Amino acid sequence: MSVINPPIPDFLYLLNIYDFLRFDKERFMNITTAYIVTFIASFCILVIEIVAGRILAPFVGVSLYTWTSIIGVVLAGISIGAYLGGKLADRFPGRKTLGWILLLSGIATLSIPPVTNLVAGYKFPTFLMLRILIVTTITFFMPSSILGMISPVIIKLTVRNLEKVGNVVGKVYAFSTLGSIAGTFAAGFFLISWIGTRHIILVMGGILILTAVVWGSLFKKMKPAIGFLLLPPFLLAGVYNYGFKPRIDSYTEYYKESDYYTIKVRHTSNPDGEILQALILDNLTHSYVNLNNPLHLEYQYERIYSEILRWKFKKDSPFRSLTIGGGGYTFPRYMEVFYPKAGIDVVEIDPEITRVAYKYLGLPQDTGIRTYNEDGRWFVMNCNERYDLIFIDAYNDLSIPFHLTTKEFARLLNDIMNPDSILLTNIIDNFQKGSFLPSYIRTLAEVFGKGNIHVISVSNDFEKRGPSTYIILTVKGNIKIKDFEEYLKDSFGDEAISKVVPEKILNKFLEKEYSVVLRDDYAPVDNLIAPVFEERFGYNRKNR
């Protein structure tokens, strides 16, 4: 340890601490320091892995493909990094080697957000799984590889007695695992909702760079070390707006990353000039709300809901409804005004979305709508109510919660439905080549009966349309679809939004298209919806 003659200014006193942390033998590291550095590196890499899914969600969705790519790429990076790190440790066995690796890992981590912006939006001319894999590899492979080099170098610096190598290696890997566990829980339970994904990356990069300076022997004295630490903020200032700052324009009224989504509320308008509030979750617009008119329904599928309800219930009917997937609460607000005697329950998994609905989307504080912030299936499993009407509005074309699509879940829904009740499910698929739509119909038919499942489109040319919205109308009891068609003709004529797919065409569609019965132990919804996903990104299977 270096000796500093008195008098010692407070600032220079830190030199003693710095020299102690460096440990005076450049080719060795004390075991405590090894534990700390290993813990920090493993903590950072697991935080990055957890955050990766949220960073990619606006570009490639949250699906089995996304998480498979993330886990595979990160593990591949760690594996190759461990191999290269072992080579480096034998050839350059010194603390500076560790310092440079930590420094490079911090820089590579900081590159993740800007690289994501550059790469993730590009339409790679290949099929979906490979596209997601390419984006994930370009973004996360290099940081994972460099972080993977750290453990072999630490072991090389720590082992001095070959007779105790097993003990040392075991403890280093134990602290590595503890760091990984801590990083997993910290990111999933706290960090994402506290500071947001891109700022988490910024913090992890800063921690790795600081660790390199403190324990990497990059500088012999503390003054140049402090000077170096002042450099990254200046360099980051130039790219912060592009890589780390949320993309918020003047029309964005609210922005927050919750435990489930990146939530935005934006001011917008429709072609008729009506001012609307748009709720955007990740990168998809889920709802449009007219704050001054709760009866306004912007989406055509919501107008289909309206026509079905007007056929089924009178304005003073005291029915009970359940909506799974609250979103902007557009249709629950509509029902509360149009059907004042209706009992309305909404299950929305994200409590932040409910808070947004109250504050920004016109849901009144004295509303009679009852909200349950929990998983839809968990609610249904423990539900003691019985409903006349159930909406499932939790699917989209980028992510589908598979446990809300299965035969077992359909049975649970059947159990809480009154006689002569209906189930309405909003699905986005391609009637020409979709596989999820016919699979979902087959699954419901297993529970409710084939003749009780009907498909309603927003257009008569559904056989020629690309990806579009379809409402699956499932009836329990003696409700006849012909009665609904007659009601549409008598009440709306040619102006009716709902177009019932004829039974013959529906049967032909079910026979022609590939489909499976979705079960809890076999629900490949990500594979089934892949064609729609690909078409969303402008990929044509004919070009394969």
Side-chain angles (χ1 to χ4, degrees), residues 64-362:
L64 180 64
Y65 299 151
T66 309
W67 281 111
T68 299
S69 297
I70 290 170
I71 294 171
V73 166
V74 171
L75 287 176
I78 293 173
S79 176
I80 292 175
Y83 175 80
L84 296 176
K87 292 281 189 181
L88 281 173
D90 288 340
R91 188 168 181 180
F92 305 103
R95 293 281 288 273
K96 282 193 175 181
T97 300
L98 176 62
W100 281 111
I101 292 174
L102 286 166
L103 179 61
L104 290 174
S105 68
I107 295 172
T109 298
L110 294 175
S111 74
I112 290 173
V115 168
T116 301
N117 290 345
L118 285 172
V119 174
Y122 181 75
K123 297 179 180 179
F124 292 94
T126 183
F127 59 93
L128 178 63
M129 285 181 284
L130 184 56
R131 178 185 182 274
I132 295 177
L133 181 60
I134 290 172
V135 170
T136 307
T137 301
I138 294 174
T139 307
F140 295 99
F141 180 77
M142 185 59 69
S144 301
S145 297
I146 300 174
L147 283 163
M149 297 179 184
I150 294 172
S151 290
V153 176
I154 288 178
I155 291 171
K156 180 73 174 183
L157 294 172
T158 308
V159 174
R160 305 181 208 178
N161 186 347
L162 293 180
E163 292 181 358
K164 296 184 178 181
V165 65
N167 182 44
V168 172
V169 172
K171 288 181 178 179
V172 169
Y173 276 106
F175 273 86
S176 174
T177 303
L178 287 175
S180 298
I181 294 170
T184 301
F185 287 131
F189 289 165
F190 306 108
L191 294 178
I192 290 176
S193 58
W194 283 357
I195 61 176
T197 53
R198 293 178 181 245
H199 287 130
I200 290 173
I201 295 295
L202 184 62
V203 171
M204 293 303 107
I207 289 174
L208 289 167
I209 291 173
L210 180 63
T211 304
V213 172
V214 174
W215 284 293
S217 293
L218 294 177
F219 304 95
K220 294 184 180 297
K221 298 294 181 180
M222 193 173 185
K223 285 185 177 179
I226 293 175
F228 177 80
L229 288 176
L230 294 176
L231 182 61
F234 289 103
L235 296 177
L236 282 172
V239 297
Y240 176 80
N241 287 342
Y242 178 75
F244 296 92
K245 189 176 181 180
R247 296 183 175 182
I248 301 175
D249 56 27
S250 60
Y251 295 98
T252 301
E253 184 176 3
Y254 177 84
Y255 178 96
K256 180 178 175 59
E257 287 191 53
S258 71
D259 293 332
Y260 298 92
Y261 303 100
T262 298
I263 305 172
K264 281 195 279 188
V265 177
R266 297 184 78 250
H267 299 296
T268 186
S269 61
N270 61 16
D272 295 328
E274 296 174 287
I275 304 301
L276 305 174
Q277 296 282 85
L279 174 68
I280 303 170
L281 304 182
D282 289 335
N283 209 30
L284 293 175
T285 303
H286 278 239
S287 305
Y288 287 104
V289 172
N290 187 323
L291 297 179
N292 299 317
N293 181 13
L295 295 178
H296 176 83
L297 301 174
E298 185 69 18
Y299 280 132
Q300 288 184 310
Y301 82 86
E302 294 170 329
R303 298 174 188 175
I304 292 177
Y305 286 169
S306 173
E307 291 178 349
I308 293 173
L309 264 64
R310 293 190 185 199
W311 161 61
K312 184 75 168 58
F313 304 108
K314 295 181 179 179
K315 291 192 68 171
D316 59 350
S317 296
F319 64 87
R320 293 205 60 81
S321 75
L322 171 66
T323 300
I324 298 177
Y329 283 70
T330 307
F331 203 76
R333 284 180 66 227
Y334 170 91
M335 285 192 293
E336 185 176 33
V337 174
F338 199 87
Y339 299 97
K341 293 184 179 181
I344 305 169
D345 293 344
V346 175
V347 180
E348 170 52 58
I349 194 170
D350 192 343
E352 188 61 31
I353 290 179
T354 301
R355 285 191 284 269
V356 168
Y358 277 106
K359 188 170 183 179
Y360 298 99
L361 302 178

Side-chain angles (χ1 to χ4, degrees), residues 357-369:
Y358 277 106
K359 188 170 183 179
Y360 298 99
L361 302 178
L363 188 62
Q365 293 295 331
D366 60 349
T367 179
I369 299 172

Side-chain angles (χ1 to χ4, degrees), residues 358-398:
Y358 277 106
K359 188 170 183 179
Y360 298 99
L361 302 178
L363 188 62
Q365 293 295 331
D366 60 349
T367 179
I369 299 172
R370 298 189 303 182
T371 295
Y372 302 87
N373 293 126
E374 56 187 270
D375 177 77
R377 181 152 177 172
W378 179 257
F379 175 86
V380 173
M381 287 172 60
N382 297 279
C383 182
N384 295 318
E385 297 280 355
R386 293 294 180 269
Y387 294 98
D388 305 293
L389 174 66
I390 297 178
F391 300 92
I392 298 181
D393 199 5
Y395 310 154
N396 59 63
D397 56 343
L398 290 183

